[in-house]
Each structure stands twice: as C-alpha cells, then as structure tokens.
Amino acid sequence: PAEGAALGVAVTTACFSTYPFAWEALRRLPYGAGRSAFGISTMAGYSGGLRGPLPALLEGKGYVPVGYAEFLMPTNYGNVEIPEEKNRARFAACRESAEKFARRLMDGAAEWRRGGPLSPLFDLLGRRSSWPWRLMRRMYTLKVDDRKCIQCGRCVRLCPTGNIVMNGYPRFLDRCVVCQRCFAFCPTGAINVPGKSYRQYRAVEYETLTSSS
C-alpha cells in the first residue's frame, strides 16, 4: 500500500455482528505495523456485536483504529413488498452520511464509538456461538423450485460459504448463514422460503457484483 494509506474495512451487519466468513477474513489480515484503519458497516438494525470487537481485533493486528460509521440500508429479509420510496430515502441518507464520514476521516476528526455494555453479549451471540445461525436457517429455510430453475449456477457462484452444490439442480448443504445472496440474485425466482411470498431485494445487479470477481 502507499505510504500513509489507511486500511478500510467494510462489512455487512448480521446477527448484531457480521458473518463468520467475514470474521475469518479479518483474522487473516496481515500485521498493520501502526497503520491507520477505519471501518464501515451496513445494517438494518443494530451492530453492537461488531463495532466493539472489530477495533479490538484490528489493534491486536497492529492497526490504529481511527473511525467507524454505520449506514442504515434497506433490508433484504422478509420483504412481502419492496418499499421503493423508503428505500430511496435510505440511500440518499446513506450517501450524505458517507460524505460526512469521509470528510471527518480526512480531517482527523472521525471517532470509533465502541459497542457499549451489551457489546460482549452480542459478540457472544453473533460471533462466538453457532446457534443464532442455526435459528436463522430454520426461520429462512431456502429451497429451490426445480420447475423454475434454469440451472444457471449463479447461486453456486455467489454463495460465500460454499453451501450450494449443483446436482442437476442447486442443492443446499448445512453451512448456510442466510445472507440471501442466492435468493436475491436468482433470475427466475426459483429460490425462496416455502410457504412465503418474499420479494427479492438487491442493491446492485448480478453483472455489477461479479464484474471484478
């Protein structure tokens, strides 16, 4: 990296923390040798199990945490209808907040607000325990409707945990963290929760998401 460049960590909040595969990637960061680091998270609720443990991990890796910001984004869970106007307002607010945060970083005025007294509990729930993810799998048990599936393989490519295999049609294993990528980007709506009529939500299109991967 260029001399004086800061490390930026951007993650999605899940179960008050972030996904296990994201924590694993963070644990593999190289030693920072005093380099500055900032963090951002997108969320639909609360990230107390992330914003406290994350700077502790970075400090342990030799980084100096200089700022953290959270951005409230549209949810991709359980949308019976997509609230277009509300989502546009959230995007506009996020852009404004991001610009302000960037200016604070450049001015050296950004802060890293820690998780508060309940942060260890949320860290335990989201990062150090597997049962919230098992509960999420029960609540959002994704299935493939073979009648709609066109066997394009998008879901297999996008799954961050390798939970989907193609056996004629996509089949799910037992490593799902319910990130909803497969559901959101299925071009024919073949993936859904049985008995539910949830609408797909995605912030970008498949081609944009995969253009640099």
Side-chain angles (χ1 to χ4, degrees):
E3 184 177 352
L7 170 72
V9 175
V11 294
T12 299
T13 302
C15 283
F16 312 112
S17 178
T18 191
Y19 296 106
F21 63 82
W23 281 117
E24 181 58 32
L26 290 167
R27 283 192 289 268
R28 293 198 300 266
L29 284 172
Y31 183 67
R35 184 181 175 191
S36 297
F38 66 90
I40 63 173
S41 67
T42 59
M43 62 179 190
Y46 175 70
S47 69
L50 171 66
R51 64 173 182 254
L54 180 54
L57 182 148
L58 292 172
E59 288 167 344
K61 285 281 188 177
Y63 294 89
V64 179
V66 295
Y68 175 79
E70 300 167 333
F71 302 106
L72 192 63
M73 293 286 283
T75 182
N76 61 338
Y77 284 93
N79 285 304
V80 178
E81 296 292 338
I82 302 297
E84 299 287 355
E85 185 174 342
K86 181 179 179 180
N87 287 352
R88 283 194 294 270
R90 284 192 171 182
F91 274 121
C94 284
R95 284 192 291 269
E96 183 178 349
S97 296
E99 291 172 0
K100 290 179 179 178
F101 178 62
R103 287 195 292 269
R104 290 197 301 271
L105 278 176
M106 296 298 292
D107 293 340
E111 298 178 345
W112 198 308
R113 185 165 57 94
R114 303 297 171 116
L118 293 180
S119 183
L121 172 62
F122 289 118
D123 180 36
L124 176 66
L125 291 175
R127 180 162 65 119
R128 304 178 188 274
S129 173
S130 62
W131 75 261
W133 306 103
R134 294 198 300 269
L135 177 61
M136 289 288 287
R137 282 196 288 272
R138 292 193 185 100
M139 291 173 60
Y140 292 91
T141 303
L142 296 166
K143 299 291 185 181
V144 178
D145 185 340
D146 293 352
R147 298 167 300 177
K148 295 182 179 179
C149 179
I150 58 173
Q151 301 170 291
C152 65
R154 288 187 178 188
C155 54
V156 177
R157 182 180 183 188
L158 290 177
C159 181
T161 63
N163 185 64
I164 307 174
V165 295
M166 188 66 79
N167 185 15
Y169 293 94
R171 294 295 178 256
F172 294 89
L173 304 178
D174 61 354
R175 297 190 294 271
C176 180
V177 290
V178 199
C179 69
Q180 301 280 81
R181 269 187 161 193
C182 59
F183 163 69
F185 288 94
C186 179
T188 61
I191 299 176
N192 213 319
V193 178
K196 303 294 184 180
S197 298
Y198 293 145
R199 298 279 301 277
Q200 291 176 319
Y201 170 78
R202 52 183 177 266
V204 298
E205 292 304 316
Y206 175 79
E207 291 75 16
T208 302
L209 181 66
T210 59
S211 61
S212 59
S213 63

